[in-house]
Amino acid sequence: MSKAYWIIVKEFDVALKDNQLLMGSEQELGFIGRNKIQMGEYQGLPVYLLQAEAQDNHREFTFLRSQIARPKTEANLLHRAVSLNHFLLTHRFCGKCGQKTEIASNELAVHCEHCGHLSYPVISPSIIVAVRKGKQILLANHLRHKGTIYTTLAGFVEAGEDVEQTIEREIFEETGIKVKNVRYFGSQPWSFPNSLMLGFLADYASGDISLQEDEIVDAQWFDYDKPLPELPPQGTIALALIQKTLELCANEN
């Protein structure tokens, strides 16, 4: 077999070599006989997903979150691999009849030969929003980042809800703030384990900050031209939203 890229996944960790994607033939890398799934192409070569096995213990595994600042195509491939691996691990049995599933031969899905049910990779849409009030940005310290990172507000889209409703509900639930002039900014896969982050910018409409204390430790309006708290790392859509909002705040001056 000719050369290819290989992404070995162990939960939320991916195998790299000298901080680069594994690349080579099955023979060179010792992958002959391993179950592989082609999940795309990169730089003209196929990209295969491998589920980690005991024989991979010598490899250098790194947490997916630490790789988000990689070039976008590479970062997205890593997210795709982790998300697909999670899907395969959690869909080994049919959700309709309970029988064992097999990977479909012609698409990325799992198939139940007993009842014919097909299951496709699950993607959970979520929103992430930066809110601006004149020359200020709303930043929150979430419980999971207590005492460290301040970031934008986010939440999952619920069944029967459109994205605009999610934005209004999540921001109001977490901070008591109402927003207006909501506009789309961009998106980012976030495979912890299978989210798709949909990023938006919004303007303050009304309300005083009132915290949802089981999720938010603190939320404040910060002036764009004064020292800011610790922000999310480079490569996150959260930081991109914050940077764009700070630019908009500066334009108010």
Side-chain angles (χ1 to χ4, degrees):
M1 179 180 176
S2 59
K3 292 185 181 295
Y5 285 97
W6 306 83
I7 303 179
I8 308 174
V9 178
K10 179 167 58 178
E11 296 184 353
F12 297 117
D13 294 345
V14 293
L16 301 174
K17 183 176 182 181
D18 299 325
N19 201 39
Q20 300 297 317
L21 301 183
L22 295 176
M23 194 267 284
S25 68
E26 283 182 297
Q27 293 87 347
E28 292 170 340
L29 297 173
F31 295 154
I32 293 177
R34 297 274 297 266
N35 291 326
K36 63 182 185 293
I37 299 171
Q38 184 170 352
M39 43 164 275
E41 292 188 354
Y42 180 52
Q43 297 182 338
L45 297 177
V47 181
Y48 291 101
L49 165 65
L50 293 179
Q51 295 180 322
E53 299 178 357
Q55 61 189 287
D56 299 311
N57 289 343
H58 71 286
R59 297 189 183 278
E60 170 196 349
F61 281 89
T62 187
F63 187 34
L64 174 63
R65 191 185 293 265
S66 70
Q67 301 301 308
I68 55 178
R70 297 186 80 92
K72 183 176 180 179
T73 302
E74 287 189 12
N76 286 3
L77 280 171
L78 295 177
H79 275 278
R80 180 170 172 79
V82 169
S83 184
L84 286 173
N85 184 64
H86 176 79
F87 166 71
L88 294 172
L89 289 176
T90 55
H91 288 75
R92 291 179 291 184
F93 297 92
C94 179
K96 186 176 180 180
C97 73
Q99 297 296 310
K100 187 174 175 59
T101 59
E102 301 291 340
I103 297 173
S105 60
N106 60 343
E107 56 186 336
L108 279 173
V110 294
H111 176 252
C112 176
E113 294 187 357
H114 183 261
C115 72
H117 183 64
L118 269 174
S119 294
Y120 294 90
V122 176
I123 299 173
S124 300
S126 59
I127 56 91
I128 182 166
V129 188
V131 182
R132 180 176 70 93
K133 182 171 68 172
K135 299 176 183 179
Q136 296 181 312
I137 182 172
L138 180 64
L139 296 174
N141 180 224
H142 294 73
L143 193 61
R144 65 184 178 276
H145 297 140
K146 186 175 181 179
T148 57
I149 292 172
Y150 276 68
T151 185
T152 49
L153 300 173
F156 286 101
V157 180
E158 294 185 351
E161 196 175 52
D162 60 42
V163 170
E164 292 78 8
Q165 288 174 312
T166 305
I167 292 169
E168 293 176 3
R169 175 183 56 76
E170 284 288 346
I171 293 174
F172 186 75
E173 285 178 354
E174 294 187 354
T175 65
I177 297 297
K178 292 188 176 181
V179 295
K180 62 183 180 181
N181 191 26
V182 175
R183 59 266 190 212
Y184 179 70
F185 174 79
S187 63
Q188 182 177 42
W190 197 249
S191 298
F192 300 101
N194 53 17
S195 298
L196 174 63
M197 304 291 287
L198 305 172
F200 295 85
L201 302 168
D203 295 333
Y204 168 83
S206 63
D208 297 319
I209 293 176
S210 176
L211 301 181
Q212 186 180 23
E213 294 183 351
D214 60 343
E215 291 193 25
I216 306 294
V217 177
D218 183 39
Q220 299 180 39
W221 293 105
F222 290 89
D223 295 327
Y224 83 96
D225 56 353
K226 294 182 180 178
L228 295 172
E230 181 181 353
L231 299 177
Q234 194 68 38
T236 59
I237 191 171
L239 182 61
L241 284 164
I242 291 168
Q243 291 171 333
K244 181 60 178 179
T245 301
L246 293 176
E247 177 186 324
L248 294 172
C249 288
N251 290 338
E252 285 282 309
N253 192 354

